[in-house]
Amino acid sequence: MKILFVASEAAPFAKTGGLGDVISALPRALGVRGHEVLVVMPKYGSIDAQKFGLRDTGRRVEVTIGASSVSATVFVNAPAERLRYLFLGNPWYERHELYGEGGHDYRDNHKRFALLAAGALEAAKQLNFIPDVVHAHDWQAALAPLILKRGWAGRPAPFKARSLFTIHNLAYQGLFPREVMQELMLPADLFNPDALEFYGKVSLIKAGLVFGDKLTTVSPTYAQEILASSETGAGLEGLLQHRKADLTGILNGADYQQWSPELDGALPAKFSARDLSGKAVCKAALQKELGLAGDPRAPLAAAIGRLVHQKGYDLLAQAVPGLVERGVQVALLGTGDTELEHAFVELAARFPGRVSVSLRFDDALAHRIEGGADLFLMPSRFEPCGLNQLYSLRYGTLPVVHAVGGLNDSIEEAMPEQGTPGAQGWGFRFADENAQSLLSAVDRALALYANSAAWAATQARAMALDYSWDRAAAAYESLYRESK
Ligand code: ADP
């Protein structure tokens, strides 16, 4: 099959979160299965074209945005057989960040991402890549399924194709003022609650939810959660219930090329389930790097992620004194809401040598943390899939998770069996969203940690799990076939 991906980020070129990891790994896994995949994304100012070997194709696409014709240059990178990434170049993408700065989204995001969706279809056509399926991701790409059904700026779609729309996080909806309908020359009849209107505003994610032939989200549990409540359904649960027959939850995979302790060049020492001595080296180096006390027996608990309400790091901040009391060291890597950043900076100052806080985006440090930590904390309020728990498993860093979304689908409680501690499961789950439940789960983890043979057995089981992308790619493949 020929599959066109439309997405706003892909690692290693540009990444702010899990979407970037998915758009890096899933196309590759589809290519390995014999499909031809073209990915189209923006050529952001932050992408180092030389470093990544992006080649100017010399082509341009023209897209009508409102009253003007906007053109984009087309760059290409072909990292594997049957796989190409196209990058649309335009001054709109030449900014410091991908989506916004200082806590504010860029005000012209509707135009920036309309250019992505419409430009992706145009670019594919120019390259004579007429896909069987267009796979669009999140609100930034959601206009692509709409264009396939309704055309763009008064003209028909450049080609006919089936479409699949994936929700990576329903909390991000691409909401804009009503005037955007005109600015993008969207047909006025689409401004109604059955199409793009969302309480007087334009919701771009609805373009994907309404016009995608098939819908997916990134875990089976999250697929149920978004139907069930207005909290996780974010006001779109009614529409999603209406489309329930077309909605599937497919758990993301982990890219073990990037995330395996046997291969990881970012680690001071590589290791494997057979020989964990390298993990002890990683832990000692990490404690040193982060200014934590150099104690091999002190359990080291880590968290990495966007510091936003969704991720529950406010609960983690509440739990930190309790963790320190229990002799746990805490390492946090993340950026986000100023209040949360301040809270963690204060905790680091209050518990020197016990709590380390790194407020930046640092992929290599993320790898070193996975390598050196004992526990990985994910107290997310909701979590569509979550990737760090999958990476953690591979590094023998046992996850402590709020059992929601993809965390519920991927983490089983480490439990004693007939008196043998650590005989099954590979993590620690809690059900109530509060600091006390998090600490109770950590207490169960610490009880297991105190028994080094049981801990090692659980680590070995975690590291042997296979969450590779091929399973997910096969599931997408059948949906591509089904969508009509
Ligand atoms: P989300 O997509 O909601 O941000 P995921 O768990 O699906 O959450 O994916 C997050 C990805 O982003 C992981 O690969 C994680 O390691 C990475 N990440 C998040 N914050 C940082 C950071 N500050 N430094 C390095 N990597 C980060």
Side-chain angles (χ1 to χ4, degrees):
M1 257 183 288
K2 281 188 167 175
I3 305 155
L4 173 65
F5 269 56
V6 187
S8 58
E9 55 182 88
F13 310 108
K15 160 175 164 180
T16 66
L19 174 66
D21 289 359
V22 175
I23 307 304
S24 164
L26 176 57
R28 196 179 285 264
L30 289 165
V32 170
R33 296 180 69 85
H35 302 293
E36 209 183 319
V37 189
L38 184 67
V39 183
V40 184
M41 63 181 283
K43 182 172 173 289
Y44 296 107
S46 57
I47 298 177
D48 185 336
Q50 228 174 358
K51 175 175 150 200
F52 291 118
L54 269 49
R55 189 172 56 75
D56 190 345
T57 62
R59 292 174 187 272
R60 276 176 177 274
V61 291
E62 301 284 332
V63 174
T64 305
I65 306 276
S68 358
S69 170
V70 178
S71 83
T73 51
V74 182
F75 285 67
V76 67
N77 174 280
E81 229 181 307
R82 294 185 288 277
L83 174 59
R84 277 174 298 173
Y85 284 75
L86 290 190
F87 300 82
L88 301 183
N90 179 280
W92 285 342
Y93 301 132
E94 298 291 328
R95 310 230 171 117
H96 285 298
E97 299 292 338
L98 274 54
Y99 311 124
E101 285 171 52
H104 298 286
D105 290 342
Y106 295 130
R107 293 176 66 99
D108 56 352
N109 273 349
H110 57 295
K111 292 196 282 191
R112 298 171 78 225
F113 293 108
L115 175 61
L116 170 66
L121 302 185
E122 285 300 333
K125 187 177 179 192
Q126 272 210 25
L127 292 184
N128 213 10
F129 184 96
I130 307 302
D132 301 290
V133 185
V134 174
H135 189 167
H137 298 264
D138 274 355
W139 75 261
Q140 292 91 339
L143 284 169
L146 180 152
I147 297 170
L148 288 168
K149 291 264 166 23
R150 297 287 302 254
W152 183 250
R155 280 202 297 277
F159 48 77
K160 277 195 167 49
R162 307 187 290 275
S163 69
L164 188 144
F165 181 70
T166 296
I167 304 158
H168 294 263
N169 192 334
L170 198 61
Y172 299 92
Q173 303 185 348
L175 283 180
F176 295 93
R178 180 181 185 155
E179 294 72 57
V180 157
M181 292 297 293
Q182 270 195 326
E183 275 187 63
L184 296 181
M185 277 174 70
L186 287 162
D189 69 290
L190 293 181
F191 194 75
N192 77 74
D194 290 332
L196 302 187
E197 184 186 353
F198 187 75
Y199 300 101
K201 293 194 166 179
V202 179
S203 162
L204 288 188
I205 199 171
K206 288 185 77 180
L209 300 179
V210 171
F211 292 100
D213 292 315
K214 292 278 175 193
L215 308 178
T216 68
T217 189
V218 288
S219 70
T221 296
Y222 190 61
Q224 291 174 359
E225 289 169 347
I226 56 180
L227 296 174
S229 84
S230 62
E231 204 186 333
T232 34
L236 293 167
E237 60 283 356
L239 167 58
L240 288 165
Q241 274 155 16
H242 181 67
R243 299 242 32 212
K244 195 172 161 185
D246 294 315
L247 172 67
T248 315
I250 301 175
L251 192 74
N252 283 336
D255 183 349
Y256 293 130
Q257 293 293 322
Q258 301 296 323
W259 296 95
S260 285
E262 295 91 340
L263 310 170
D264 195 333
L267 300 183
K270 298 190 174 72
F271 60 91
S272 68
R274 276 185 309 284
D275 179 5
L276 280 168
S277 55
K279 187 160 176 75
V281 176
C282 289
K283 180 171 175 179
L286 186 67
Q287 285 172 324
K288 189 158 183 226
E289 173 180 359
L290 298 179
L292 296 168
D295 177 357
R297 285 301 306 156
L300 172 46
I304 303 172
R306 297 177 296 114
L307 300 182
V308 294
H309 185 73
Q310 177 206 334
K311 301 286 178 183
Y313 291 130
D314 50 327
L315 305 178
L316 175 58
Q318 283 170 32
V320 164
L323 291 169
V324 171
E325 227 168 75
R326 287 162 171 79
V328 176
Q329 297 184 343
V330 180
L332 175 106
L333 168 62
T335 56
D337 296 350
T338 320
E339 264 174 51
L340 275 171
E341 291 193 351
H342 285 161
F344 278 102
V345 167
E346 273 171 28
L347 286 164
R350 186 167 145 203
F351 300 113
R354 301 311 211 58
V355 176
S356 144
V357 172
S358 310
L359 299 178
R360 60 181 192 274
F361 195 96
D362 186 339
D363 188 53
L365 178 55
H367 285 252
R368 293 195 295 276
I369 288 176
E370 289 290 8
D374 299 298
L375 290 172
F376 199 91
L377 309 176
M378 296 184 76
S380 307
R381 290 197 160 76
F382 67 94
E383 191 57 84
C385 177
L387 290 169
N388 275 314
Q389 82 279 16
L390 304 181
Y391 305 153
S392 299
L393 291 170
R394 200 58 157 199
Y395 288 74
T397 303
L398 301 186
V400 179
V401 304
H402 184 212
V404 290
L407 301 174
N408 180 53
D409 293 329
S410 56
I411 302 304
E412 286 191 17
E413 181 77 18
M415 277 201 292
E417 194 177 69
Q418 293 168 355
T420 314
Q424 50 177 300
W426 44 80
F428 308 91
R429 300 157 52 98
F430 59 96
D432 296 330
E433 181 62 6
N434 59 53
Q436 200 45 52
S437 310
L438 168 63
L439 285 170
S440 308
V442 168
D443 282 334
R444 296 198 301 279
L446 295 181
L448 189 67
Y449 186 76
N451 178 339
S452 36
W455 183 262
T458 309
Q459 278 182 309
R461 204 165 32 252
M463 296 173 81
L465 291 166
D466 184 0
Y467 284 106
S468 56
W469 268 103
D470 190 52
R471 168 200 47 82
Y476 281 108
E477 192 181 287
S478 12
L479 280 183
Y480 296 152
R481 291 225 161 85
E482 273 176 42
S483 54
K484 53 175 181 327

